[in-house]
Amino acid sequence: MARTRETAPPSKKTEAAGGITDAGAELVAKAAGSSTSVPGPSPNPATNLIIQDIALRAGGRLVRHTMEKGLLHGRFGQGTAKAIVENRSLSNTLVSALLARLATRSLPGAVVIGGGLAVKTLYDRSRTKRQARRSGDRTLRKMAED
């Protein structure tokens, strides 16, 4: 008996059809070939999906921390940059993750979050450069001390 691919009906909670991730998934599917199993070390596709999810999240975290430390290194030095990135509070991390998730799940979410970031940038620019820089430096130095 031949195995066929089962397709689930689209959920109303997912992103719009034809989104960026849909196009990327098509490219990955073409690269993976016509296998009917989820690639990975386990014969259980759910286990393989969990392994892949953990690996991608860990890799993303490593890349993100490396970039953040590199961007802060020039202004604050290597040790302080490391402390800033590694001493981020749980609430700061959760808020950032939730906002990023909201922005990537839908176009209205992206507009709201992007608009909020634009407003914050305009507010910072309306202050003198010295005030804005001091405020940001104070916040980052406090994160480095915690």
Side-chain angles (χ1 to χ4, degrees):
M1 178 176 193
R3 293 179 62 182
T4 60
R5 290 185 189 195
E6 296 177 18
T7 58
S11 170
K12 292 182 181 180
K13 291 184 179 183
T14 61
E15 68 184 34
I20 293 172
T21 57
D22 292 339
E26 289 296 322
L27 292 173
V28 171
K30 286 179 185 176
S34 63
S35 174
T36 58
S37 65
V38 177
S42 173
N44 183 336
T47 301
N48 289 336
L49 193 59
I50 291 170
I51 292 168
Q52 293 162 2
D53 185 44
I54 292 169
L56 286 171
R57 288 178 191 272
R61 184 169 189 241
L62 289 173
V63 169
R64 186 175 57 253
H65 282 198
T66 301
M67 291 295 295
E68 290 170 347
K69 288 175 188 177
L71 293 170
L72 294 170
H73 182 273
R75 178 151 177 96
F76 296 101
Q78 184 176 5
T80 305
K82 181 178 179 180
I84 290 169
V85 172
E86 293 179 0
N87 290 338
R88 187 173 296 141
S89 70
L90 181 60
S91 62
N92 187 322
T93 302
L94 288 176
V95 168
S96 296
L98 290 173
L99 291 175
R101 184 167 184 117
L102 177 65
T104 57
R105 287 190 67 112
S106 67
L107 184 58
V111 170
V112 169
I113 301 302
L117 292 173
V119 167
K120 173 63 171 139
T121 301
L122 291 172
Y123 170 73
D124 288 344
R125 287 180 171 264
S126 71
R127 301 166 67 194
T128 65
K129 284 187 178 184
R130 181 175 288 162
Q131 285 176 324
R133 191 175 295 130
R134 266 195 304 230
S135 174
D137 285 351
R138 223 179 336 215
T139 301
L140 293 175
R141 293 216 185 268
K142 184 178 177 191
M143 288 171 64
E145 293 172 2
D146 290 343

